[in-house]
Amino acid sequence: FKATWIVFQSITWLGKKRPTTFYQNHILNLDLSQIQGCFNANKLCICKKVPNVYSTVFYTILKQFVKYPFVLSNIGVSDCEILDARSKGRFTSREPEPRANVKSGHIPASKNLPYTDVLDGNKFKQEEELKAIFEILNPHRKPMIFTCGSGITACVLALAAKISGHQDGVVYDGSWTEWGSIQNLPIEV
């Protein structure tokens, strides 16, 4: 079973090291068994060497990432699901946002799927388990928009969806940090 795997390289941005979604991206086709165990105890990717590289730099990566106007135009649309990878507490506003000046809540009509729910320890759950999770949240196999706090763990959901057989999904890379900071965007709490 081959899948698309997006490898994020670290860059310095605003004085902090962080993965980036638009600069220096590479996409690789890997046997998924080779990436099992690539997450540390904090569920962050720790792969330093990626085996069996089948393709090189992927320069059309932007089509897999969307900006807030795209998400806004898809709120309440019957042929799309928005899945949020943040914790249930942050999604429901019971826990405060960790970033200053970011409102609490979630994008209207979105559903919560904490990224930890698709992991079994430091690896992805088995394909059948992931299929069951996505079947509950998206029984009609609609295209999906994945979001989280900053765009990083949304990629975990995107890969889990890909493993489960869902081919049609994009990541909102600005995610809640952007959405919760922009005046006049709709928010549910």
Side-chain angles (χ1 to χ4, degrees):
F1 178 76
K2 299 286 184 202
T4 300
W5 177 252
I6 301 166
V7 179
F8 298 99
Q9 297 178 343
S10 292
I11 63 163
T12 301
W13 185 65
L14 297 179
K16 298 179 181 174
K17 279 250 229 233
R18 65 167 256 161
T20 178
T21 52
F22 290 117
Y23 313 103
Q24 305 172 13
N25 286 311
H26 294 73
I27 192 163
L28 311 169
N29 290 315
L30 304 176
D31 182 321
L32 289 176
S33 66
Q34 296 172 324
I35 61 171
Q36 294 290 356
C38 282
F39 294 89
N40 66 14
N42 294 321
K43 311 295 189 287
L44 299 173
C45 183
I46 57 171
C47 292
K48 297 206 186 307
K49 180 181 175 192
V50 183
N52 291 338
V53 176
Y54 295 100
S55 61
T56 56
V57 176
F58 183 70
Y59 56 88
T60 58
I61 194 87
L62 296 179
K63 72 179 184 179
Q64 295 182 9
F65 293 88
V66 297
K67 297 294 185 186
Y68 81 86
F70 179 85
V71 179
L72 185 62
S73 69
N74 280 285
I75 292 175
V77 174
S78 62
D79 62 351
C80 178
E81 292 288 353
I82 302 171
L83 298 181
D84 189 323
R86 294 177 299 150
S87 69
K88 185 176 182 178
R90 286 177 63 197
F91 183 81
T92 60
S93 302
R94 288 182 303 182
E95 295 173 6
E97 284 300 311
R99 294 166 184 89
N101 303 316
V102 176
K103 298 176 216 115
S104 292
H106 59 268
I107 297 169
S110 62
K111 297 177 181 178
N112 187 222
L113 176 57
Y115 77 95
T116 54
D117 288 0
V118 300
L119 300 175
D120 180 13
N122 65 350
K123 60 184 180 178
F124 285 99
K125 290 184 175 179
Q126 295 298 312
E127 182 179 345
E128 292 305 314
E129 293 175 278
L130 294 172
K131 283 181 180 180
I133 290 168
F134 286 102
E135 178 66 26
I136 291 167
L137 292 168
N138 188 5
H140 302 292
R141 298 184 63 85
K142 300 174 186 177
M144 293 180 279
I145 299 171
F146 302 102
T147 183
C148 61
S150 64
I152 303 303
T153 56
C155 294
V156 174
L157 291 190
L159 184 55
K162 187 93 165 164
I163 293 168
S164 75
H166 288 270
Q167 302 300 316
D168 199 3
V170 294
V171 171
Y172 168 32
D173 73 314
S175 283
W176 191 252
T177 299
E178 179 179 59
W179 193 275
S181 300
I182 297 176
Q183 295 296 321
N184 303 320
L185 285 180
I187 294 175
E188 286 182 354
V189 289

